Amino acid sequence: MGNPVFEISTAYPELAGSFGFLTGFAYTIPFAFCGLFFGGLTDKVNRKWMISIFMALSAVTMGAAGFMDSFMILAGSRFLLGLISSVFNPMSFSLLTDYFPADKRATANSIVQSGNYIGWGLSSISIMAIK
């Protein structure tokens, strides 16, 4: 079995110079702007269904990225993933408001957000561990 770091750099030679673009601009710009749109939809849609549908779309998008053989398509999938992921913050914070009393919401929001940061941190560590 080959080293996945070398395999991905062989498949995408542009990755070393464009990793920041993929993790930053291509994901963050649609995430930020579409989050504003989905925030406006929060009270107009069934939030549980919306989160469920977008969770499935997120899984499909991430899974499909493993089969892509073009850097531009990979960048497009990161853009799409940013758009899809932007639904989770406004919808989840709104649901937390429904499920937790006012004196427990700060803790509930902190736990949800800490999951994001712990996940991002562990994914960064896992990338370094492969090297």
Side-chain angles (χ1 to χ4, degrees):
M1 183 180 331
N3 184 332
V5 172
F6 298 120
E7 290 174 16
I8 197 165
S9 60
T10 301
Y12 302 110
E14 312 89 338
L15 190 61
S18 301
F19 186 74
F21 171 75
L22 288 177
T23 59
F25 187 79
Y27 178 87
T28 305
I29 297 299
F31 182 86
F33 286 106
C34 293
L36 297 171
F37 170 75
F38 288 121
L41 285 181
T42 299
D43 296 326
K44 298 175 180 128
V45 298
N46 183 318
R47 294 162 296 174
K48 291 178 192 176
W49 277 106
M50 189 78 142
I51 288 173
S52 299
I53 290 167
F54 277 72
M55 232 8 167
L57 288 172
S58 177
V60 168
T61 303
M62 286 186 273
F67 298 100
M68 296 178 186
D69 60 354
S70 161
F71 183 79
M72 290 309 294
I73 294 173
L74 181 63
S77 78
R78 290 292 299 167
F79 184 91
L80 185 59
L81 186 59
L83 183 148
I84 291 168
S85 297
S86 68
V87 79
F88 300 123
N89 280 349
M91 300 288 171
S92 63
F93 290 143
S94 178
L95 283 174
L96 289 174
T97 301
D98 291 349
Y99 289 121
F100 291 92
D103 63 326
K104 304 279 188 209
R105 284 187 201 138
T107 302
N109 283 327
S110 298
I111 291 169
V112 168
Q113 282 302 97
S114 69
N116 289 335
Y117 296 113
I118 290 168
W120 291 336
L122 290 175
S123 68
S124 297
I125 290 170
S126 68
I127 291 170
M128 291 186 305
I130 292 174
K131 291 181 180 186

